[in-house]
Amino acid sequence: MGEMTVDVAAVNRPETSSDNIYIENVSHGYRGRHGTVIALEDINLVFQAGEFTCIVGPSGCGKSTLLDLVAGLQQPLSGSIRHGGRIIDGPNEACAMVFQQPALFPWMSVLENVVIGPAAHGISRRDAEERARLLLSKVGLSKVTGAFPHELSGGMAQRVGIVRALALDPAILLMDEPFAAVDAQTRIRLQDEVKALVEESGTTVIFVTHDVGEAVYLGASVIVMSGGPGRVISCRPMEEASNDKRSSYFVETAAEIMDMLLGPGA
């Protein structure tokens, strides 16, 4: 699909906007002992502003690399990425990132871990604390604002990491397998909480996961990538029925995407 652009959009969203993320003819790789190893090849995507897009693909297909490129932490070997009317050629201040591990500051309380970002961006301490407390309440952490990271469960710590990113009020939230390190029950709760928070904020989300069911449930669209070098082999907008994990649509769609991942083209 290298020659066509996949428009990652839900129904009724505007087709063009300077707030969209445009990925055009992007290839990227790394220098190895025997030359350059291509991680991504001929990627053409448009991420519509305000949409929640999930990316699935086998290990090594460049999913995390794509997030780094959007964040401006790496530069593509060829092609370009645009957001806000400009080419991303350095750290993209519109982005916040959430990783598998929350990486909280161990010497800071929950509240302080959330407040530090907005405060560093010039938000008054009072306003930063007010926003932090509001977001923490929405994920059930109002009673542990004074606790330290070592006093939290894995799920609680990851909630703090997600809230810390959202407290920055980012235009783009990049999430790299954020639920991979928690148990199954906590994962389900986190999915629902993140889905609600993002729908309320209107933030553009690019969410990388190995869990196909998670992608179908969370994403307004699901991008399927091939094995390395990573290429886009499918982009599917999700219907409203994907919100019901017991629906025939959800089960059939997840099965079809899994077949793509396991098929000869993956």
Side-chain angles (χ1 to χ4, degrees):
M1 293 196 59
E3 297 182 356
M4 64 181 296
T5 298
V6 180
D7 191 354
V8 183
V11 178
N12 296 328
R13 284 291 184 175
E15 294 184 0
T16 60
S17 168
S18 63
D19 290 328
N20 293 347
I21 303 166
Y22 298 92
I23 300 178
E24 299 171 330
N25 304 314
V26 163
S27 293
H28 191 60
Y30 304 91
R31 291 185 178 179
R33 295 169 62 183
H34 304 291
T36 300
V37 177
I38 301 299
L40 294 168
E41 189 168 60
D42 294 329
I43 303 296
N44 288 277
L45 292 168
V46 178
F47 293 96
Q48 291 280 347
E51 295 298 335
F52 196 130
T53 303
C54 291
I55 303 176
V56 295
S59 295
C61 73
K63 301 184 298 296
S64 297
T65 298
L66 187 57
L67 295 189
D68 284 348
L69 293 172
V70 172
L73 302 179
Q74 299 185 53
Q75 298 303 310
L77 294 180
S78 61
S80 65
I81 301 176
R82 292 183 291 121
H83 174 252
R86 69 175 185 87
I87 292 177
I88 298 172
D89 55 5
N92 186 356
E93 294 182 358
C95 293
M97 297 189 76
V98 178
F99 303 96
Q100 288 187 27
Q101 300 296 333
L104 304 178
F105 296 117
W107 60 89
M108 290 185 177
S109 69
V110 166
L111 183 63
E112 290 168 336
N113 264 285
V114 177
V115 166
I116 187 173
H121 282 74
I123 305 299
S124 72
R125 176 79 185 190
R126 179 179 177 179
D127 289 344
E129 281 198 14
E130 182 178 348
R131 178 166 176 77
R133 291 184 187 279
L134 176 62
L135 288 169
L136 288 166
S137 71
K138 291 182 177 181
V139 294
L141 296 179
S142 292
K143 295 181 179 180
V144 296
T145 57
F148 289 86
H150 72 274
E151 300 174 299
L152 306 176
S153 68
M156 292 168 73
Q158 193 64 313
R159 285 179 173 89
V160 177
I162 293 167
V163 165
R164 181 175 61 182
L166 286 172
L168 294 168
D169 195 22
I172 304 167
L173 182 62
L174 306 174
M175 308 186 78
D176 194 357
E177 297 189 68
F179 309 148
V182 300
D183 63 82
Q185 289 179 325
T186 300
R187 187 170 192 146
I188 291 171
R189 288 196 295 269
L190 285 170
Q191 289 170 0
D192 290 338
E193 289 169 358
V194 166
K195 192 166 188 173
L197 284 171
V198 168
E199 286 176 354
E200 184 177 310
S201 69
T203 302
T204 303
V205 180
I206 306 177
F207 186 104
V208 164
T209 179
H210 278 100
D211 187 321
V212 172
E214 181 170 78
V216 173
Y217 179 64
L218 289 176
S221 295
V222 176
I223 295 171
V224 184
M225 295 186 67
S226 69
R231 301 181 181 88
V232 176
I233 58 176
S234 174
C235 178
R236 294 190 54 164
M238 295 293 106
E239 297 179 9
E240 188 174 347
S242 66
N243 293 321
D244 182 358
K245 296 178 182 179
R246 293 168 293 185
S247 69
S248 59
Y249 174 83
F250 180 94
V251 174
E252 291 168 4
T253 301
E256 289 169 9
I257 292 175
M258 184 61 72
D259 286 344
M260 292 181 203
L261 291 171
L262 298 175

